[in-house]
Amino acid sequence: MILKQFYLECLSHASYLVGDETTGRAVVVDPRRDISEYLAEAETKGLRIEAVINTHFHADFVSGHLEFAAATSAWIGFGEAAETDYPIRRLRHGDHIRLGQVDIEVLSTPGHTWESISLLLREHGDAAPTAVLTGDSLFIGDVGRPDLANLGGGTNTDLARAMYRTVHQVLLPLPDDVLVMPAHGAGSSCGKNLSSDLVSTIGEQRRTNPSVQPMPEDDFVALVTSGQPAIPNYFRTDAVLNKSIRMLFDRTRTVEPLSASAVETELNSPRTVILDTRAPEDYADAHLKGSINVGLDGRFAETCGMVIDVGDRIVLVTAPGEETEAAMRLARIGYDNVIGSADLAVDTDEPFADFTTPIESTHRVGVMELDALLKDSRITLLDVRNPGERAAGHIDGSFHIPLPELVERHGGLPNDKPIVVHCRSGWRSSVAASLLRSLGYTRTTDLVGGYIAWADERRQTSSSCMGTSGD
């Protein structure tokens, strides 16, 4: 059996190629929209991709099932509760997909969504199972959240109870040595305590995963329906796109350079966003007034989906040569409206030298400066972390709006004082501060190093004081 995991750090997304070496037949599970890597791997291994199976309707990215159907004539498989606008093969609990010697058994595992399935893999039809591809049902360290889709009807509580049965009646009874290979890892908004490990075993999860420990069903429901990350705005859109007939990803598309005058014309359009993908420190040094900073070095696509609408026209501002990568990552979540990239001056300290539009720089606040500002109540401090992060510790007096909710809730911000934004490390805060400035909160900046820097300074101060008092 050939079993290959493909992992995207920026989306915390895992997908899989499963093939039979004796027959050359293969399936792809939970693929992303840009399918070239899968096709190349299959060709290298001498495999023919006959099917693409989605474990559920993904909300955090656009799946590549339609691209595979167009490129390879593969059939598309979903759990039997799925309803789509395109032809699918409905996969029921206990169904077997035989690629030759390799056998794939379908397990119905609702809870994250109603149509969720897992795939149990065997090297041979009569052999013990080797691995289970769990989608968003069982993660390493957690289980899938029950509040994203409800595409089959019902309530979050209904799905949570279904997840309890999935975990304790379907997945945990599998043999201890069966590999657990989920669709997401740490950082994904599809759960709250996901591990950075990409593979585990049923036995290890039974021992160490807090969400699957023996507990009453009501306690499990309370656990998985509370403390989840805020939901990015684009999730609902992508869940619908994955049910629909939509535009295919264009693997040959290039991003055209736009002159300074063309970019300035776009700045006057209410549906155009200037998206600056450079690192926060480079953005702070100089940027186009009104642009939004989402650094390509972070959770770029998911974060763009929190602060930019899927219908917006997008002009990119990137480091040299990164415009194609940025556009592809946006396309992975269904954002196909990149109209070009600003043609910046290179090999110069003034990349915006050709622009007449106002160029701004931003002073980012350090921890000591923040303390002074808070002491005199001269600012509004905004925490844009997720609820679970804030529950673990926060700065007294801070106002809390998770970044995915900022577009809808910013109107509740006090606007009588300057705003300083903080997150965990200083990356999301640059996103939030730039978004607020684009919305008219012109006296907005952010905290360098975020809550980590603030907490580290507190620990150092405490240690210094303890050392002094001990002398």
Side-chain angles (χ1 to χ4, degrees), residues 139-358:
F139 291 131
I140 299 173
D142 200 4
V143 296
R145 63 191 296 174
D147 61 338
L148 287 184
N150 285 318
L151 294 174
T155 67
N156 296 341
T157 300
D158 291 335
L159 278 165
R161 294 191 186 281
M163 181 66 83
Y164 183 84
R165 295 188 291 273
T166 281
V167 167
H168 293 285
Q169 297 176 18
V170 180
L171 295 175
L172 288 188
L174 294 173
D176 278 1
D177 60 352
V178 170
L179 297 177
V180 175
M181 306 180 78
H184 293 295
S188 171
S189 294
C190 295
K192 57 184 176 180
N193 293 311
L194 280 66
S195 170
S196 58
D197 294 337
L198 302 182
V199 180
S200 184
T201 64
I202 288 292
E204 184 66 17
Q205 289 309 292
R206 190 183 292 112
R207 289 188 296 273
T208 64
N209 187 329
S211 296
V212 305
Q213 298 308 302
M215 67 182 80
E217 183 174 319
D218 287 345
D219 291 353
F220 176 86
V221 170
L223 176 66
V224 300
T225 55
S226 63
Q228 295 288 357
I231 301 173
N233 297 333
Y234 79 96
F235 270 31
R236 187 69 63 179
T237 297
D238 278 17
V240 172
L241 281 175
N242 282 324
K243 296 178 64 177
S244 307
I245 297 173
R246 52 158 177 81
M247 182 174 70
L248 297 181
F249 176 74
D250 183 359
R251 287 180 278 167
T252 66
R253 182 184 175 191
T254 58
V255 180
E256 297 299 322
L258 298 177
S259 66
S261 60
V263 174
E264 288 166 343
T265 298
E266 289 294 339
L267 274 168
N268 296 320
S269 169
R271 290 311 303 268
T272 298
V273 172
I274 308 299
L275 175 60
D276 194 319
T277 72
R278 298 173 300 151
E281 54 271 21
D282 295 328
Y283 175 84
D285 285 343
H287 56 265
L288 292 171
K289 182 178 181 181
S291 61
I292 297 175
N293 176 224
V294 183
L296 195 61
D297 58 344
R299 297 188 64 78
F300 174 72
E302 181 182 71
T303 307
C304 286
M306 298 175 186
V307 298
I308 299 173
D309 187 84
V310 69
D312 288 338
R313 291 159 54 88
I314 299 172
V315 173
L316 297 172
V317 176
T318 72
E322 292 185 346
E323 59 278 353
T324 300
E325 176 72 13
M328 181 178 66
R329 292 192 190 183
L330 287 166
R332 285 173 178 160
I333 65 167
Y335 283 55
D336 293 319
N337 289 345
V338 173
I339 61 174
S341 179
D343 190 10
L344 303 184
V346 297
D347 300 325
T348 175
D349 293 333
E350 298 183 13
F352 299 100
D354 296 335
F355 286 77
T356 58
T357 295

Side-chain angles (χ1 to χ4, degrees), residues 355-436:
F355 286 77
T356 58
T357 295
I359 307 301
E360 296 183 328
S361 60
T362 304
H363 168 69
R364 305 181 79 198
V365 172
V367 171
M368 301 304 290
E369 184 180 355
L370 175 65
D371 286 343
L373 293 170
L374 288 172
K375 187 177 297 183
D376 295 337
S377 300
R378 285 181 279 166
I379 60 164
T380 294
L381 180 62
L382 174 62
D383 181 351
V384 295
R385 296 175 300 161
N386 279 313
E389 294 175 283
R390 184 173 172 86
H394 65 276
I395 302 175
D396 289 343
S398 58
F399 198 81
H400 183 224
I401 303 178
L403 179 58
E405 300 175 9
L406 190 55
V407 169
E408 294 182 355
R409 292 180 54 195
H410 69 85
L413 282 172
N415 201 18
D416 56 338
K417 293 181 290 188
I419 298 171
V420 176
V421 184
H422 88 82
C423 62
R424 178 178 178 272
S425 65
W427 188 87
R428 281 174 292 175
S429 63
S430 181
V431 177
S434 65
L435 172 65
L436 288 174

